[in-house]
Coordinates of all heavy atoms in Angstrom, one line a residue:
M6 N -14.4 -38.9 -11.7 CA -13.8 -39.7 -10.7 C -14.0 -41.2 -11.0 O -15.1 -41.6 -11.4 CB -14.4 -39.4 -9.3 CG -13.5 -39.9 -8.1 SD -14.3 -39.5 -6.5 CE -15.2 -41.0 -6.3
D7 N -12.9 -41.9 -10.9 CA -13.0 -43.4 -11.2 C -13.8 -44.1 -10.1 O -13.5 -43.9 -8.9 CB -11.6 -44.0 -11.3 CG -11.1 -43.9 -12.7 OD1 -11.8 -43.4 -13.6 OD2 -10.0 -44.3 -12.9
T8 N -14.7 -44.9 -10.4 CA -15.4 -45.7 -9.5 C -14.7 -47.1 -9.4 O -14.4 -47.7 -10.4 CB -16.8 -46.0 -9.9 OG1 -17.4 -44.7 -10.2 CG2 -17.6 -46.6 -8.8
I9 N -14.4 -47.4 -8.1 CA -13.7 -48.7 -7.9 C -14.8 -49.8 -8.0 O -15.8 -49.7 -7.4 CB -13.0 -48.8 -6.6 CG1 -11.9 -47.7 -6.6 CG2 -12.5 -50.2 -6.3 CD1 -11.4 -47.3 -5.2
R10 N -14.5 -50.8 -8.8 CA -15.5 -51.9 -9.0 C -14.9 -53.2 -8.7 O -13.7 -53.4 -8.5 CB -16.0 -51.9 -10.5 CG -16.7 -50.6 -10.8 CD -17.5 -50.8 -12.1 NE -16.7 -51.2 -13.2 CZ -16.2 -50.4 -14.1 NH1 -16.5 -49.1 -14.0 NH2 -15.5 -50.8 -15.1
V11 N -15.8 -54.2 -8.6 CA -15.3 -55.6 -8.4 C -14.8 -56.1 -9.7 O -15.4 -56.1 -10.8 CB -16.5 -56.5 -7.9 CG1 -16.1 -58.0 -7.9 CG2 -16.9 -56.1 -6.5
Q12 N -13.6 -56.6 -9.7 CA -13.0 -57.2 -10.9 C -13.2 -58.7 -10.9 O -13.6 -59.3 -11.9 CB -11.5 -56.9 -10.9 CG -10.8 -57.4 -12.2 CD -9.5 -56.6 -12.4 OE1 -8.6 -56.6 -11.6 NE2 -9.5 -55.9 -13.5
E13 N -13.0 -59.3 -9.7 CA -13.1 -60.8 -9.7 C -13.6 -61.2 -8.3 O -13.2 -60.7 -7.3 CB -11.7 -61.4 -9.9 CG -11.8 -62.8 -10.4 CD -10.4 -63.4 -10.5 OE1 -9.4 -62.6 -10.9 OE2 -10.2 -64.6 -10.2
I14 N -14.4 -62.2 -8.3 CA -14.9 -62.8 -7.1 C -14.4 -64.3 -7.0 O -14.5 -65.0 -8.0 CB -16.4 -62.8 -7.0 CG1 -17.0 -61.4 -7.0 CG2 -16.9 -63.5 -5.7 CD1 -18.4 -61.3 -7.2
S15 N -13.9 -64.6 -5.8 CA -13.4 -66.0 -5.7 C -13.8 -66.5 -4.4 O -14.3 -65.8 -3.5 CB -11.9 -66.0 -5.8 OG -11.3 -65.2 -4.8
Q16 N -13.7 -67.8 -4.2 CA -14.0 -68.4 -2.9 C -12.7 -68.8 -2.3 O -12.0 -69.7 -2.8 CB -14.9 -69.7 -3.2 CG -15.5 -70.1 -1.9 CD -16.6 -71.2 -2.1 OE1 -16.9 -71.6 -3.2 NE2 -17.1 -71.7 -1.0
I17 N -12.4 -68.2 -1.2 CA -11.1 -68.4 -0.5 C -11.2 -69.7 0.3 O -10.4 -70.6 0.2 CB -10.7 -67.3 0.4 CG1 -10.5 -66.0 -0.4 CG2 -9.5 -67.6 1.2 CD1 -10.2 -64.7 0.3
D18 N -12.3 -69.9 1.0 CA -12.6 -71.2 1.7 C -14.1 -71.2 1.9 O -14.8 -70.3 1.5 CB -11.8 -71.4 2.9 CG -12.1 -70.3 4.0 OD1 -13.3 -70.0 4.2 OD2 -11.2 -69.9 4.7
Q19 N -14.6 -72.3 2.5 CA -16.0 -72.5 2.8 C -16.7 -71.3 3.3 O -17.9 -71.1 2.9 CB -16.1 -73.6 3.9 CG -16.0 -75.0 3.4 CD -17.3 -75.5 2.7 OE1 -18.4 -75.2 3.2 NE2 -17.2 -76.1 1.5
R20 N -16.0 -70.5 4.0 CA -16.7 -69.4 4.7 C -16.2 -68.0 4.3 O -16.7 -67.0 4.8 CB -16.5 -69.5 6.2 CG -17.7 -69.2 7.0 CD -17.4 -69.3 8.5 NE -17.8 -68.0 9.1 CZ -18.2 -67.9 10.4 NH1 -18.2 -69.0 11.2 NH2 -18.6 -66.7 10.9
T21 N -15.3 -67.9 3.3 CA -14.7 -66.7 3.0 C -14.8 -66.4 1.5 O -14.4 -67.2 0.6 CB -13.2 -66.6 3.4 OG1 -13.1 -67.1 4.7 CG2 -12.7 -65.2 3.4
L22 N -15.3 -65.2 1.2 CA -15.5 -64.7 -0.2 C -14.3 -63.8 -0.5 O -14.1 -62.9 0.3 CB -16.8 -64.0 -0.3 CG -17.5 -63.9 -1.7 CD1 -17.9 -65.3 -2.2 CD2 -18.7 -63.0 -1.6
G23 N -13.6 -64.0 -1.6 CA -12.5 -63.1 -1.9 C -13.0 -62.1 -3.0 O -13.6 -62.6 -4.0
I24 N -12.7 -60.9 -2.9 CA -13.0 -59.9 -4.0 C -11.7 -59.2 -4.4 O -10.9 -58.7 -3.5 CB -14.0 -58.9 -3.5 CG1 -15.4 -59.5 -3.2 CG2 -14.2 -57.8 -4.6 CD1 -16.5 -58.6 -2.7
T25 N -11.4 -59.2 -5.6 CA -10.3 -58.4 -6.2 C -11.0 -57.2 -6.8 O -11.9 -57.3 -7.6 CB -9.5 -59.2 -7.2 OG1 -9.1 -60.4 -6.7 CG2 -8.3 -58.4 -7.7
W26 N -10.5 -56.0 -6.5 CA -11.1 -54.7 -6.9 C -10.3 -54.2 -8.1 O -9.1 -54.6 -8.3 CB -11.1 -53.7 -5.8 CG -11.8 -54.1 -4.6 CD1 -11.3 -54.8 -3.5 CD2 -13.2 -54.0 -4.3 NE1 -12.3 -55.1 -2.6 CE2 -13.5 -54.6 -3.1 CE3 -14.3 -53.5 -5.1 CZ2 -14.8 -54.7 -2.5 CZ3 -15.5 -53.5 -4.5 CH2 -15.8 -54.1 -3.3
T27 N -10.9 -53.3 -8.8 CA -10.3 -52.8 -10.0 C -9.1 -51.9 -9.7 O -8.3 -51.6 -10.6 CB -11.3 -52.0 -10.9 OG1 -12.0 -51.0 -10.1 CG2 -12.3 -52.9 -11.6
D28 N -8.9 -51.5 -8.4 CA -7.7 -50.8 -8.1 C -6.6 -51.7 -7.6 O -5.6 -51.2 -7.1 CB -8.0 -49.7 -7.0 CG -8.4 -50.3 -5.7 OD1 -8.6 -51.5 -5.6 OD2 -8.6 -49.5 -4.7
G29 N -6.9 -53.0 -7.7 CA -5.8 -54.0 -7.3 C -5.9 -54.5 -5.9 O -5.3 -55.4 -5.5
K30 N -6.7 -53.8 -5.1 CA -6.8 -54.3 -3.7 C -7.6 -55.5 -3.6 O -8.5 -55.8 -4.5 CB -7.6 -53.2 -2.9 CG -6.7 -52.0 -2.5 CD -7.2 -51.3 -1.3 CE -6.3 -50.2 -0.8 NZ -6.5 -49.0 -1.7
K31 N -7.4 -56.3 -2.6 CA -8.1 -57.6 -2.4 C -8.8 -57.5 -1.0 O -8.2 -57.1 -0.1 CB -7.1 -58.8 -2.5 CG -6.6 -59.1 -3.9 CD -5.6 -60.2 -3.8 CE -4.8 -60.2 -5.1 NZ -5.0 -61.3 -5.9
S32 N -10.0 -58.1 -1.0 CA -10.7 -58.1 0.3 C -11.1 -59.6 0.6 O -11.4 -60.3 -0.4 CB -11.9 -57.3 0.2 OG -11.6 -55.9 -0.1
A33 N -11.1 -59.9 1.8 CA -11.6 -61.2 2.3 C -12.9 -60.9 3.1 O -12.8 -60.2 4.1 CB -10.6 -62.0 3.1
L34 N -14.0 -61.5 2.8 CA -15.2 -61.3 3.5 C -15.8 -62.6 4.0 O -16.0 -63.5 3.3 CB -16.2 -60.6 2.5 CG -15.8 -59.2 2.1 CD1 -16.2 -59.0 0.7 CD2 -16.5 -58.2 3.0
D35 N -16.1 -62.5 5.3 CA -16.7 -63.7 6.0 C -18.2 -63.7 5.5 O -18.9 -62.7 5.7 CB -16.6 -63.5 7.5 CG -17.2 -64.6 8.2 OD1 -16.6 -65.6 8.5 OD2 -18.4 -64.5 8.6
V36 N -18.6 -64.8 5.0 CA -20.0 -64.9 4.4 C -21.1 -64.8 5.5 O -22.1 -64.3 5.2 CB -20.2 -66.1 3.5 CG1 -19.2 -66.1 2.3 CG2 -20.0 -67.4 4.3
V37 N -20.8 -65.3 6.7 CA -21.8 -65.3 7.7 C -21.9 -63.8 8.2 O -23.0 -63.3 8.4 CB -21.4 -66.2 8.9 CG1 -22.4 -66.1 10.0 CG2 -21.3 -67.6 8.4
M38 N -20.8 -63.1 8.3 CA -20.8 -61.7 8.6 C -21.6 -60.9 7.5 O -22.5 -60.1 7.8 CB -19.4 -61.2 8.7 CG -19.2 -59.7 9.0 SD -19.3 -58.6 7.5 CE -17.8 -59.0 6.7
L39 N -21.4 -61.3 6.3 CA -22.2 -60.6 5.2 C -23.7 -60.8 5.3 O -24.4 -59.9 5.2 CB -21.7 -61.2 3.8 CG -20.4 -60.7 3.3 CD1 -20.1 -61.4 2.0 CD2 -20.4 -59.2 3.0
R40 N -24.1 -62.0 5.7 CA -25.5 -62.3 5.9 C -26.0 -61.5 7.1 O -27.1 -60.9 7.0 CB -25.7 -63.8 6.1 CG -27.1 -64.2 6.4 CD -28.1 -63.9 5.2 NE -29.5 -64.2 5.6 CZ -30.2 -63.3 6.3 NH1 -29.8 -62.1 6.6 NH2 -31.5 -63.7 6.6
R41 N -25.2 -61.4 8.1 CA -25.7 -60.6 9.3 C -25.7 -59.1 9.1 O -26.5 -58.4 9.7 CB -24.7 -60.9 10.5 CG -24.9 -62.3 11.0 CD -24.0 -62.7 12.2 NE -24.4 -64.0 12.8 CZ -23.5 -64.9 13.2 NH1 -22.2 -64.6 13.2 NH2 -23.9 -66.0 13.6
K42 N -24.9 -58.7 8.1 CA -24.9 -57.3 7.8 C -25.7 -56.9 6.6 O -25.5 -55.9 5.9 CB -23.4 -56.8 7.5 CG -22.5 -57.0 8.7 CD -22.6 -55.8 9.6 CE -21.5 -55.8 10.7 NZ -21.6 -54.7 11.6
C43 N -26.6 -57.8 6.2 CA -27.4 -57.6 5.0 C -28.1 -56.2 5.1 O -28.7 -55.9 6.1 CB -28.5 -58.7 4.9 SG -29.6 -58.4 3.6
P44 N -28.0 -55.4 4.1 CA -28.6 -54.1 4.1 C -30.0 -53.9 3.6 O -30.5 -52.8 3.5 CB -27.6 -53.3 3.2 CG -27.2 -54.3 2.2 CD -27.2 -55.7 2.8
C45 N -30.7 -55.0 3.4 CA -32.1 -54.9 2.9 C -33.1 -54.4 3.9 O -32.8 -54.5 5.1 CB -32.5 -56.2 2.2 SG -33.3 -57.4 3.3
A46 N -34.3 -54.1 3.4 CA -35.3 -53.5 4.3 C -35.8 -54.5 5.4 O -36.3 -54.1 6.4 CB -36.4 -52.9 3.5
A47 N -35.7 -55.8 5.1 CA -36.1 -56.8 6.0 C -35.1 -56.9 7.2 O -35.4 -57.4 8.3 CB -36.3 -58.1 5.4
C48 N -33.9 -56.5 6.9 CA -32.8 -56.7 7.9 C -32.4 -55.4 8.6 O -32.0 -55.5 9.8 CB -31.6 -57.3 7.3 SG -31.9 -59.0 6.5
I49 N -32.6 -54.3 8.0 CA -32.3 -53.0 8.6 C -33.5 -52.1 8.4 O -34.1 -52.0 7.4 CB -31.1 -52.3 7.8 CG1 -29.8 -53.2 7.8 CG2 -30.9 -50.9 8.3 CD1 -29.0 -53.0 9.0
D50 N -33.9 -51.5 9.5 CA -35.0 -50.6 9.5 C -34.7 -49.4 8.6 O -33.7 -48.7 8.8 CB -35.4 -50.1 10.9 CG -36.7 -49.4 10.9 OD1 -36.7 -48.2 10.6 OD2 -37.7 -50.0 11.2
E51 N -35.6 -49.2 7.6 CA -35.3 -48.1 6.6 C -35.2 -46.7 7.3 O -34.5 -45.8 6.8 CB -36.4 -48.1 5.6 CG -36.3 -49.2 4.6 CD -37.4 -49.1 3.6 OE1 -37.2 -48.4 2.6 OE2 -38.5 -49.7 3.8
W52 N -36.0 -46.5 8.3 CA -36.1 -45.2 8.9 C -35.0 -45.0 10.0 O -34.3 -44.0 10.0 CB -37.5 -44.9 9.4 CG -38.5 -45.1 8.3 CD1 -39.3 -46.1 8.1 CD2 -38.7 -44.2 7.2 NE1 -40.0 -45.9 7.0 CE2 -39.7 -44.8 6.4 CE3 -38.1 -43.0 6.8 CZ2 -40.1 -44.2 5.2 CZ3 -38.5 -42.4 5.6 CH2 -39.5 -43.0 4.9
S53 N -35.0 -45.9 10.9 CA -34.1 -45.7 12.1 C -32.7 -46.3 11.8 O -31.7 -46.0 12.5 CB -34.6 -46.4 13.3 OG -34.6 -47.8 13.1
H54 N -32.6 -47.1 10.7 CA -31.3 -47.8 10.4 C -30.8 -48.7 11.5 O -29.7 -49.1 11.5 CB -30.2 -46.8 10.0 CG -30.5 -45.9 8.8 ND1 -30.5 -46.4 7.5 CD2 -30.9 -44.6 8.7 CE1 -30.9 -45.4 6.7 NE2 -31.2 -44.4 7.4
E55 N -31.8 -49.1 12.3 CA -31.5 -50.1 13.4 C -31.6 -51.5 12.7 O -32.5 -51.7 11.9 CB -32.4 -50.0 14.5 CG -32.3 -48.7 15.4 CD -31.0 -48.7 16.1 OE1 -30.5 -49.7 16.6 OE2 -30.4 -47.6 16.2
P56 N -30.7 -52.4 13.1 CA -30.8 -53.8 12.6 C -32.2 -54.4 13.1 O -32.6 -54.2 14.2 CB -29.6 -54.5 13.2 CG -28.9 -53.5 13.9 CD -29.6 -52.2 14.0
R57 N -32.8 -55.2 12.2 CA -34.0 -55.9 12.6 C -33.8 -57.3 12.8 O -34.7 -58.1 13.1 CB -35.1 -55.7 11.4 CG -35.4 -54.3 11.1 CD -36.3 -54.1 9.9 NE -37.6 -54.4 10.3 CZ -38.7 -53.9 9.6 NH1 -38.5 -53.1 8.6 NH2 -39.9 -54.2 10.0
I58 N -32.5 -57.8 12.6 CA -32.2 -59.1 12.9 C -31.1 -59.1 13.9 O -30.3 -58.2 14.0 CB -31.7 -59.9 11.6 CG1 -30.6 -59.1 10.9 CG2 -32.9 -60.2 10.7 CD1 -29.9 -59.9 9.8
K59 N -31.0 -60.2 14.7 CA -30.0 -60.3 15.7 C -28.9 -61.2 15.1 O -29.2 -62.2 14.3 CB -30.5 -60.9 17.0 CG -31.5 -60.0 17.7 CD -31.7 -60.6 19.1 CE -33.0 -60.0 19.7 NZ -34.2 -60.6 19.2
P60 N -27.6 -61.0 15.4 CA -26.6 -61.9 14.9 C -26.9 -63.3 15.1 O -26.7 -64.2 14.3 CB -25.3 -61.4 15.7 CG -25.6 -60.0 16.1 CD -27.1 -59.9 16.3
E61 N -27.5 -63.6 16.3 CA -27.7 -65.1 16.6 C -28.9 -65.6 15.8 O -29.1 -66.8 15.8 CB -28.0 -65.3 18.1 CG -29.1 -64.5 18.7 CD -28.7 -63.1 19.3 OE1 -27.7 -62.5 18.8 OE2 -29.4 -62.7 20.2
D62 N -29.7 -64.8 15.1 CA -30.7 -65.3 14.2 C -30.1 -65.9 13.0 O -30.8 -66.7 12.3 CB -31.6 -64.1 13.7 CG -32.4 -63.5 14.8 OD1 -32.6 -64.1 15.9 OD2 -32.9 -62.3 14.6
I63 N -28.9 -65.6 12.7 CA -28.3 -66.1 11.5 C -27.3 -67.3 11.9 O -26.4 -67.1 12.7 CB -27.4 -65.0 10.8 CG1 -28.3 -63.8 10.5 CG2 -26.8 -65.5 9.5 CD1 -29.5 -64.0 9.7
K64 N -27.6 -68.4 11.3 CA -26.7 -69.6 11.7 C -25.3 -69.4 11.1 O -25.2 -68.9 10.0 CB -27.4 -70.9 11.2 CG -28.7 -71.2 11.8 CD -29.0 -72.7 11.5 CE -30.5 -73.0 11.9 NZ -31.4 -72.8 10.9
D65 N -24.4 -70.0 11.8 CA -23.0 -70.1 11.3 C -22.9 -70.9 10.0 O -21.8 -70.8 9.3 CB -22.1 -70.7 12.3 CG -21.7 -69.6 13.4 OD1 -21.9 -68.4 13.1 OD2 -21.2 -70.0 14.4
T66 N -23.9 -71.7 9.7 CA -23.8 -72.5 8.5 C -24.3 -71.8 7.2 O -24.4 -72.5 6.2 CB -24.7 -73.8 8.7 OG1 -26.0 -73.4 9.2 CG2 -24.0 -74.7 9.8
V67 N -24.8 -70.6 7.4 CA -25.3 -69.9 6.2 C -24.2 -69.7 5.1 O -23.0 -69.4 5.5 CB -26.0 -68.6 6.6 CG1 -25.0 -67.5 6.9 CG2 -26.9 -68.1 5.5
R68 N -24.5 -70.0 3.9 CA -23.5 -69.8 2.8 C -24.2 -69.2 1.6 O -25.4 -69.4 1.3 CB -23.0 -71.2 2.4 CG -22.2 -72.0 3.5 CD -20.9 -71.4 3.7 NE -20.2 -72.1 4.8 CZ -20.2 -71.8 6.1 NH1 -21.0 -70.8 6.5 NH2 -19.5 -72.5 7.0
P69 N -23.4 -68.5 0.8 CA -23.9 -68.0 -0.4 C -24.1 -69.1 -1.5 O -23.2 -69.9 -1.6 CB -22.9 -66.9 -0.9 CG -21.7 -67.2 -0.1 CD -22.0 -68.1 1.0
V70 N -25.2 -69.1 -2.2 CA -25.3 -70.1 -3.3 C -25.0 -69.4 -4.6 O -24.7 -70.1 -5.6 CB -26.6 -70.8 -3.3 CG1 -26.7 -71.8 -2.1 CG2 -27.8 -69.9 -3.2
K71 N -25.2 -68.1 -4.7 CA -25.1 -67.4 -5.9 C -24.8 -66.0 -5.7 O -25.3 -65.4 -4.8 CB -26.4 -67.5 -6.7 CG -26.2 -67.3 -8.2 CD -27.4 -67.9 -8.9 CE -28.1 -66.9 -9.8 NZ -29.5 -67.3 -10.2
V72 N -23.8 -65.4 -6.4 CA -23.5 -64.0 -6.3 C -23.7 -63.4 -7.7 O -23.2 -63.9 -8.7 CB -22.1 -63.8 -5.9 CG1 -21.7 -62.3 -5.8 CG2 -21.8 -64.4 -4.5
E73 N -24.5 -62.3 -7.8 CA -24.8 -61.7 -9.0 C -24.5 -60.2 -9.0 O -24.6 -59.6 -7.9 CB -26.3 -61.8 -9.4 CG -26.7 -63.2 -9.9 CD -28.2 -63.3 -10.2 OE1 -29.0 -62.7 -9.5 OE2 -28.5 -64.0 -11.2
S74 N -24.1 -59.7 -10.1 CA -23.8 -58.2 -10.1 C -25.1 -57.5 -10.4 O -25.9 -57.9 -11.1 CB -22.7 -57.9 -11.0 OG -22.9 -58.4 -12.3
V75 N -25.2 -56.3 -9.8 CA -26.3 -55.4 -10.1 C -25.7 -54.1 -10.7 O -24.9 -53.4 -10.1 CB -27.0 -54.9 -8.7 CG1 -28.1 -54.0 -9.0 CG2 -27.4 -56.1 -7.9
G76 N -25.9 -54.0 -12.0 CA -25.3 -52.9 -12.7 C -23.8 -52.9 -12.5 O -23.2 -53.9 -12.4
L77 N -23.3 -51.7 -12.3 CA -21.8 -51.6 -12.1 C -21.5 -51.1 -10.7 O -20.4 -50.6 -10.5 CB -21.2 -50.6 -13.1 CG -21.2 -51.2 -14.6 CD1 -20.8 -50.0 -15.5 CD2 -20.3 -52.4 -14.7
Y78 N -22.4 -51.3 -9.8 CA -22.2 -50.7 -8.5 C -22.4 -51.6 -7.3 O -22.1 -51.2 -6.2 CB -23.1 -49.4 -8.3 CG -24.5 -49.7 -8.1 CD1 -25.1 -49.7 -6.8 CD2 -25.4 -50.1 -9.2 CE1 -26.4 -50.0 -6.6 CE2 -26.7 -50.4 -9.0 CZ -27.2 -50.3 -7.7 OH -28.5 -50.7 -7.5
A79 N -23.0 -52.8 -7.5 CA -23.4 -53.6 -6.4 C -23.4 -55.1 -6.7 O -23.4 -55.5 -7.9 CB -24.7 -53.1 -5.8
L80 N -23.5 -55.9 -5.7 CA -23.7 -57.3 -5.8 C -25.0 -57.7 -5.0 O -25.3 -57.1 -4.0 CB -22.6 -58.1 -5.2 CG -21.2 -57.9 -5.8 CD1 -20.2 -58.7 -4.9 CD2 -21.1 -58.3 -7.2
T81 N -25.7 -58.7 -5.5 CA -26.7 -59.4 -4.7 C -26.1 -60.8 -4.3 O -25.5 -61.4 -5.2 CB -28.1 -59.6 -5.3 OG1 -27.9 -60.2 -6.6 CG2 -28.8 -58.3 -5.5
I82 N -26.4 -61.2 -3.2 CA -26.0 -62.5 -2.7 C -27.2 -63.4 -2.4 O -28.0 -62.9 -1.6 CB -25.0 -62.4 -1.5 CG1 -23.8 -61.4 -1.8 CG2 -24.5 -63.8 -1.1 CD1 -22.9 -61.1 -0.6
H83 N -27.3 -64.5 -3.0 CA -28.4 -65.4 -2.7 C -27.8 -66.4 -1.6 O -26.8 -67.1 -1.9 CB -28.8 -66.2 -3.9 CG -29.4 -65.4 -5.0 ND1 -30.3 -65.9 -5.9 CD2 -29.2 -64.1 -5.3 CE1 -30.6 -64.9 -6.7 NE2 -29.9 -63.8 -6.4
F84 N -28.4 -66.4 -0.5 CA -27.9 -67.3 0.6 C -28.7 -68.6 0.7 O -29.9 -68.6 0.2 CB -28.0 -66.6 1.9 CG -27.0 -65.5 2.1 CD1 -27.4 -64.2 1.8 CD2 -25.7 -65.7 2.5 CE1 -26.4 -63.1 1.9 CE2 -24.8 -64.7 2.6 CZ -25.1 -63.4 2.3
N85 N -28.1 -69.6 1.3 CA -28.8 -70.9 1.3 C -29.9 -71.0 2.4 O -30.6 -72.0 2.5 CB -27.8 -72.1 1.5 CG -27.0 -72.0 2.8 OD1 -27.2 -71.0 3.6 ND2 -26.2 -72.9 3.0
D86 N -30.1 -69.8 3.1 CA -31.3 -69.8 4.0 C -32.5 -69.1 3.2 O -33.5 -68.8 3.8 CB -31.0 -69.0 5.3 CG -30.7 -67.6 5.0 OD1 -30.5 -67.1 3.9 OD2 -30.5 -66.8 6.0
G87 N -32.3 -68.9 1.9 CA -33.4 -68.4 1.1 C -33.4 -66.9 1.0 O -34.1 -66.3 0.2
H88 N -32.5 -66.2 1.7 CA -32.5 -64.8 1.7 C -31.7 -64.2 0.5 O -30.6 -64.7 0.3 CB -31.9 -64.2 3.0 CG -32.2 -62.8 3.3 ND1 -33.5 -62.5 3.7 CD2 -31.5 -61.7 3.3 CE1 -33.5 -61.1 3.9 NE2 -32.3 -60.6 3.6
R89 N -32.2 -63.3 -0.2 CA -31.6 -62.8 -1.4 C -31.9 -61.4 -1.8 O -31.7 -60.9 -2.9 CB -31.9 -63.7 -2.6 CG -33.4 -64.0 -2.7 CD -33.7 -64.8 -3.9 NE -33.7 -64.0 -5.1 CZ -34.0 -64.5 -6.3 NH1 -34.3 -65.7 -6.5 NH2 -34.0 -63.6 -7.3
T90 N -32.4 -60.6 -0.8 CA -32.9 -59.3 -1.1 C -31.9 -58.2 -0.8 O -32.1 -57.0 -1.1 CB -34.2 -59.0 -0.3 OG1 -34.1 -59.5 1.0 CG2 -35.4 -59.5 -1.0
G91 N -30.7 -58.6 -0.3 CA -29.7 -57.6 0.1 C -29.0 -57.1 -1.2 O -28.5 -57.9 -2.0
I92 N -28.8 -55.8 -1.3 CA -28.0 -55.3 -2.4 C -26.8 -54.7 -1.7 O -26.8 -53.7 -0.9 CB -28.8 -54.2 -3.2 CG1 -29.9 -54.9 -4.0 CG2 -27.8 -53.5 -4.2 CD1 -30.8 -54.0 -4.7
Y93 N -25.6 -55.3 -1.9 CA -24.4 -54.9 -1.3 C -23.6 -54.0 -2.3 O -23.1 -54.5 -3.3 CB -23.5 -56.1 -1.0 CG -24.2 -57.1 0.0 CD1 -25.2 -57.9 -0.3 CD2 -23.7 -57.1 1.4 CE1 -25.8 -58.8 0.6 CE2 -24.3 -57.9 2.3 CZ -25.3 -58.8 1.9 OH -25.9 -59.6 2.9
T94 N -23.7 -52.7 -2.0 CA -22.9 -51.8 -2.9 C -21.5 -52.1 -2.8 O -21.0 -52.5 -1.7 CB -23.3 -50.4 -2.7 OG1 -22.8 -50.0 -1.3 CG2 -24.7 -50.1 -2.8
F95 N -20.7 -51.8 -3.8 CA -19.3 -51.9 -3.7 C -18.7 -51.1 -2.5 O -17.8 -51.6 -1.8 CB -18.6 -51.5 -5.0 CG -19.0 -52.4 -6.2 CD1 -18.8 -52.0 -7.5 CD2 -19.5 -53.7 -6.0 CE1 -19.1 -52.8 -8.6 CE2 -19.9 -54.5 -7.0 CZ -19.7 -54.0 -8.3
K96 N -19.2 -49.9 -2.3 CA -18.8 -49.1 -1.2 C -19.0 -49.8 0.1 O -18.2 -49.8 1.0 CB -19.6 -47.8 -1.3 CG -19.2 -46.7 -0.3 CD -20.0 -45.4 -0.6 CE -19.7 -44.3 0.4 NZ -20.3 -44.6 1.7
Y97 N -20.2 -50.4 0.2 CA -20.5 -51.1 1.5 C -19.6 -52.3 1.7 O -19.1 -52.5 2.8 CB -22.0 -51.5 1.4 CG -22.5 -52.1 2.7 CD1 -22.4 -51.4 3.9 CD2 -23.2 -53.3 2.7 CE1 -22.9 -52.0 5.1 CE2 -23.7 -53.9 3.9 CZ -23.6 -53.2 5.1 OH -24.1 -53.8 6.2
L98 N -19.3 -53.0 0.6 CA -18.5 -54.2 0.7 C -17.0 -53.8 1.1 O -16.4 -54.4 1.9 CB -18.4 -54.9 -0.6 CG -19.7 -55.7 -1.0 CD1 -19.7 -56.1 -2.5 CD2 -19.9 -56.9 -0.1
R99 N -16.6 -52.6 0.6 CA -15.3 -52.1 0.9 C -15.2 -51.8 2.4 O -14.2 -52.0 3.1 CB -14.9 -50.9 0.1 CG -14.8 -51.2 -1.4 CD -13.3 -51.5 -1.8 NE -12.4 -50.4 -1.7 CZ -11.3 -50.4 -2.4 NH1 -11.0 -51.4 -3.2 NH2 -10.5 -49.4 -2.3
E100 N -16.3 -51.2 2.9 CA -16.4 -50.9 4.3 C -16.4 -52.1 5.2 O -15.8 -52.1 6.3 CB -17.7 -50.1 4.7 CG -17.6 -48.7 4.2 CD -19.0 -48.0 4.2 OE1 -19.9 -48.5 4.9 OE2 -19.1 -46.9 3.6
L101 N -17.0 -53.2 4.8 CA -17.1 -54.4 5.6 C -15.8 -55.3 5.5 O -15.6 -56.1 6.4 CB -18.3 -55.3 5.0 CG -19.7 -54.8 5.2 CD1 -20.7 -55.8 4.6 CD2 -20.0 -54.6 6.7
A102 N -15.1 -55.0 4.4 CA -14.0 -55.9 4.2 C -12.8 -55.7 5.1 O -12.5 -54.6 5.5 CB -13.5 -55.7 2.7
T103 N -12.2 -56.8 5.4 CA -10.9 -56.7 6.1 C -9.8 -56.8 5.1 O -9.8 -57.7 4.3 CB -10.7 -57.9 7.1 OG1 -11.5 -59.0 6.6 CG2 -11.1 -57.5 8.5
P104 N -8.9 -55.8 5.0 CA -7.9 -55.8 4.0 C -7.0 -57.0 4.2 O -6.7 -57.4 5.3 CB -7.1 -54.5 4.3 CG -7.9 -53.7 5.2 CD -8.8 -54.7 6.0
S105 N -6.6 -57.6 3.1 CA -5.8 -58.8 3.2 C -4.6 -58.6 2.2 O -4.6 -57.8 1.4 CB -6.5 -60.1 2.8 OG -7.0 -60.1 1.5
Ligands
ZN210 ZN1 -31.7 -58.8 4.2

């Protein structure tokens, strides 16, 4: 089975990250939403899967400073609030994305 991967990452505007996928689909992702949906163990309880952060804990001014790929299946996003432990799998990003 072909795995859909990220082909290209772009910055649509101050607050929106654009992803072009290898199947040609494009996604627009709100960066503040991405930070609020961070899947790392500090943000989501590993056992109950309940969020450990509240949306209001994350400021609207949070922005990614760096996006790096992890193997061929995920991205890590370094945010300007110092948070960088979230591993966003491509599958997860597709779920979060609003089709555009
Ligand atoms: Zn996190």
